[in-house]
Amino acid sequence: MKRILMMVLRNLYLVPYGWIRLCYRAAHVDKYTEEDTYAFLQWIDLHANKGGRVHIDVHGKDNIPDKDGFMFFPNHQGLYDVLAIIEASPRPFSVVAKKEIADIPFLKQIFACMKAFMLDREDVKQAMQVIINVTKEVKKGRNYLIFAEGTRSKNGNRIGSFKGGSFKAATKAQCPIVPVALIDSFKPFDTNTIKPVTVQVHFLKPLLYEDYKDMKTTEIAAIVEKQIQSTIDENIQ
């Protein structure tokens, strides 16, 4: 976590002000519009990335649907993944994350501001309720991100198996599915280095409901997994 310390030290003049504002917003999420909160999170993210010498190389922004009510499905490399996509995406989104990271300082406040759903993978009933809640939110026009691997791959740029169940909310909401390929996103927080690093974020062509309506969720998962791994293999440094 050397890089996190560097992010703090190189933004020391902003940390007290930013932290107080972040905590306040996390405790009063309904006082602000989603667009205003997202702009604030991007402000924090940009300063943190600059201080931590992390560059975000974005590709395929044109693939993000014009209309809200879609879902991002990226590969999962590390704790930094969501922060990479916050800088890369011009559109606000929320997250479905595992409950184990719900109490990590900073990430806890970020997820609170995003009105994220925390998933208990050991509680089937709670997991089903999260799917129902996300489906309702997406139908209302909110955008969500789910890591279909379920956990970090821990194999660098080689992704893990995508789970079909992760796509249930998307199929129920009949929304566009946007695959997102992350490259080197494990390096900022999951390696013990402070060398400058470039994280690539590739937004791939979305799968529309008409494209996948006759598929099983396992088939959708296999297609998205293949597209992401192919993109990574084509662009890895």
Side-chain angles (χ1 to χ4, degrees):
M1 293 294 182
K2 289 181 180 179
R3 196 178 304 273
I4 294 178
L5 180 60
M6 183 170 68
M7 287 176 171
V8 172
L9 292 177
R10 296 186 70 184
N11 287 287
L12 201 57
Y13 68 103
L14 284 174
V15 169
Y17 169 73
W19 178 249
I20 290 171
R21 286 186 67 194
L22 179 62
C23 290
Y24 182 83
R25 282 175 175 263
H28 303 85
V29 291
D30 292 328
K31 289 186 64 174
Y32 305 93
T33 65
E34 188 166 30
E35 290 74 19
D36 181 71
T37 296
Y38 191 69
F40 171 68
L41 293 179
Q42 285 190 312
W43 177 80
I44 289 179
D45 202 19
L46 287 167
H47 282 283
N49 288 336
K50 185 176 180 180
R53 298 196 292 183
V54 181
H55 173 66
I56 307 299
D57 183 17
V58 188
H59 303 262
K61 279 187 180 182
D62 291 345
N63 287 323
I64 299 175
D66 293 330
K67 184 179 179 181
D68 286 326
F70 58 82
M71 294 186 69
F72 288 135
F73 284 89
N75 54 309
H76 195 8
Q77 293 194 339
L79 294 173
Y80 182 76
D81 295 346
V82 171
L83 298 180
I85 299 173
I86 286 176
E87 178 172 334
S89 174
R91 306 287 285 282
F93 65 92
S94 188
V95 179
V96 176
K98 59 184 180 180
K99 70 169 187 176
E100 287 82 357
I101 63 174
D103 293 323
I104 296 177
F106 184 62
L107 289 181
K108 175 181 179 180
Q109 284 74 27
I110 293 287
F111 287 152
C113 286
M114 299 175 82
K115 298 182 180 179
F117 286 112
M118 309 313 294
L119 182 68
D120 185 350
R121 293 177 294 179
E122 303 300 321
D123 187 337
V124 176
K125 184 176 180 180
Q126 189 266 358
M128 289 301 298
Q129 187 59 52
V130 168
I131 291 173
I132 292 171
N133 292 340
V134 171
T135 301
K136 290 179 179 178
E137 292 289 291
V138 173
K139 284 183 175 180
K140 291 178 183 177
R142 296 193 74 216
N143 310 314
Y144 269 83
L145 179 153
I146 292 181
F147 293 109
E149 289 162 279
T151 188
R152 287 175 283 172
S153 66
K154 298 182 181 179
N155 289 314
N157 289 311
R158 176 59 53 181
I159 68 178
S161 177
F162 276 34
K163 311 295 190 297
S166 301
F167 292 86
K168 286 184 178 179
T171 58
K172 289 180 182 295
Q174 301 181 7
C175 71
I177 291 171
V178 185
V180 184
L182 296 175
I183 300 175
D184 291 340
S185 187
F186 65 95
K187 290 183 177 180
F189 288 172
D190 293 78
T191 58
N192 194 30
T193 178
I194 56 173
K195 293 180 179 179
V197 61
T198 295
V199 175
Q200 296 183 46
V201 180
H202 296 258
F203 297 105
L204 309 186
K205 184 178 178 180
L207 278 72
L208 305 180
Y209 179 63
E210 290 299 315
D211 300 326
Y212 67 76
K213 65 179 181 179
D214 296 322
M215 296 182 189
K216 297 178 180 178
T217 54
T218 51
E219 294 173 322
I220 299 171
I223 289 173
V224 173
E225 178 186 330
K226 182 178 180 181
Q227 289 180 346
I228 291 175
Q229 188 63 66
S230 295
T231 301
I232 293 173
D233 293 342
E234 291 169 2
N235 292 277
I236 196 169
Q237 300 296 323

